[in-house]
Amino acid sequence: MAVNAAERNAMDRALHLAARGPRGANPQVGTVILSPDGTVLAEGWHHGAGTPHAEVDALSKLAPGEARGATAVVTLEPCNHTGRTGPCAVALIEAGIARVVYALDDPGAVSGGGAERLRSAGVDVEAGEQADAAHALIAGWLTAQRLGRPQITVKWAQSLDGRAAADDGSSQWITGPAARADVHRRRAEADAIAVGTGTVLADDPALTARDGDALLPHQPIPVVIGSRPTPADAAVHRHPHSPLFFDTHDLHTVVADLHARGVQNLFVEGGPTLASAFLQAGLADRLLVYIAPVLLGGGRLALTDIGVASIGEARRLTIDEWVPLGSDLLAIAHPAHDAHPRNEGAA
């Protein structure tokens, strides 16, 4: 049975509801329950760990028996396990839901399998509706489930000839206002923003997300990686969040620590050394490369050693999008071996 117009509209609404939930250890999920004639009966979303899941939140707004014969439209496959809450698949079956339309399969070894449980109980199930949009919404959580670490975006700005700075070290500004505004918007979508100690010492960045001089509502946690001490008067100490300092060059340890703290989306911005280190470690899910139509020459390359000794070892990329930003150009790419193009990152 194909998805109908009412169900497509309900999925749009469910995705909007899901985004209201907090990012954290649990995915953002939304649910809309429709009557057999397509009328919206109830809505719900997941409000955070330990609270009812989206399906149960929606069902709680209906009288007993009111959901019988209805359709549940959900952004993620209803779960099939008991944790701090019971299985959503069972709750839907017990409520008399006749049909479930969902966007993404639950990748969890324990929590997955809800669709099969629903089908076994005679519920009609349709999967894959607006899967790309749902994937983009919870990309960080999906990466955490798959890899046990945050979704990592590596960003840098460069001249057309691949330089990050002039020979005297000056780099403000290679790109124009539109590109810089785009960076701040993407910072605000991340849970944490990382730089190396070299960038802190050279540029003294604030690591905030701003609209002009005003702070945006969401601020990423500042992360400083490296063994050199950060001056007590560095701008990062005035960030709305207390910065995290990692006196190590082991990036796998850093991202594991951030994952344990609930960071799902990490924005790596700090300098050629750190960007290259993340690439060399295979810890880049998405690349944002801002290219300015300027030539600098010299030796201040945007990337240093990324572990490529021969052309056969080249890190192949797939370009997802070219975005004009004033006179600059943004290349959005992911490693060519990645099995989940385009949809795995909030920038």
Side-chain angles (χ1 to χ4, degrees):
M1 179 177 175
V3 174
N4 60 41
E7 292 166 346
R8 284 192 293 273
N9 291 336
M11 185 62 79
D12 286 336
R13 178 62 179 167
L15 289 165
H16 177 77
L17 293 168
R20 295 181 180 180
R23 285 199 300 246
N26 291 56
Q28 296 166 290
V29 181
T31 296
V32 174
I33 297 177
L34 301 175
S35 69
D37 67 1
T39 302
V40 174
L41 297 176
E43 301 177 340
W45 70 91
H46 185 50
H47 294 258
T51 65
H53 288 186
E55 299 93 321
V56 175
D57 184 43
L59 289 171
S60 71
K61 299 166 184 174
L62 298 176
E66 193 176 357
R68 190 159 303 281
T71 295
V73 178
V74 193
T75 58
L76 184 68
E77 178 186 9
C79 70
N80 190 37
H81 80 298
T82 300
R84 282 185 276 186
T85 60
C88 292
V90 171
L92 294 171
I93 292 166
E94 292 179 346
I97 291 289
R99 176 169 162 83
V100 172
V101 176
Y102 72 88
L104 286 177
D105 291 332
D106 188 325
V110 176
S111 57
E116 187 54 39
R117 189 164 190 170
L118 289 163
R119 291 188 180 101
S120 296
V123 177
D124 181 53
V125 178
E126 186 77 29
E129 172 62 22
Q130 298 193 43
D132 285 356
H135 196 295
L137 178 67
I138 59 170
W141 180 81
L142 290 167
T143 297
Q145 296 300 300
R146 222 167 31 93
L147 302 176
R149 62 161 176 80
Q151 173 80 14
I152 300 171
T153 297
V154 178
K155 167 263 174 184
W156 70 85
Q158 66 172 59
S159 64
L160 194 60
D161 57 343
R163 269 61 180 178
D167 256 355
D168 65 357
S170 59
S171 61
Q172 296 181 336
W173 298 101
I174 289 177
T175 55
R180 297 197 296 275
D182 187 76
V183 170
H184 281 277
R185 179 180 66 80
R186 294 176 188 275
R187 284 182 180 182
E189 295 172 351
D191 299 320
I193 178 171
V195 296
T197 52
T199 294
V200 171
L201 295 172
D203 298 336
D204 194 23
L207 300 184
T208 51
R210 303 183 300 278
D211 181 3
D213 293 329
L215 294 179
L216 291 170
H218 177 75
Q219 293 294 318
I221 299 167
V223 175
V224 180
I225 303 171
S227 56
R228 286 182 284 181
T230 298
D233 62 348
V236 69
H237 290 295
R238 299 189 291 277
H239 194 282
H241 296 298
S242 298
L244 301 175
F245 296 95
F246 292 91
D247 184 4
T248 180
H249 297 290
D250 184 347
L251 297 181
H252 291 278
T253 296
V254 172
V255 298
D257 184 286
L258 294 175
H259 172 62
R261 295 172 187 266
V263 171
Q264 291 188 4
N265 296 283
L266 175 63
F267 194 73
V268 177
E269 191 168 340
T273 301
L274 190 65
S276 300
F278 269 90
L279 287 167
Q280 185 167 14
L283 291 173
D285 300 302
R286 186 164 66 157
L287 306 180
L288 301 177
V289 185
Y290 294 83
I291 305 167
V294 61
L295 302 175
L296 293 175
R300 301 270 185 166
L301 296 174
L303 290 179
T304 59
D305 180 18
I306 60 170
V308 174
S310 68
I311 194 66
E313 298 173 356
R315 304 295 180 94
R316 303 290 178 183
L317 304 175
T318 297
I319 299 293
D320 299 317
E321 192 175 1
W322 293 100
V323 183
L325 295 167
S327 61
D328 303 317
L329 190 62
L330 168 61
I332 304 176
H334 67 271
H337 60 76
D338 195 324
H340 298 281
R342 280 196 301 271
N343 302 319
E344 267 204 321

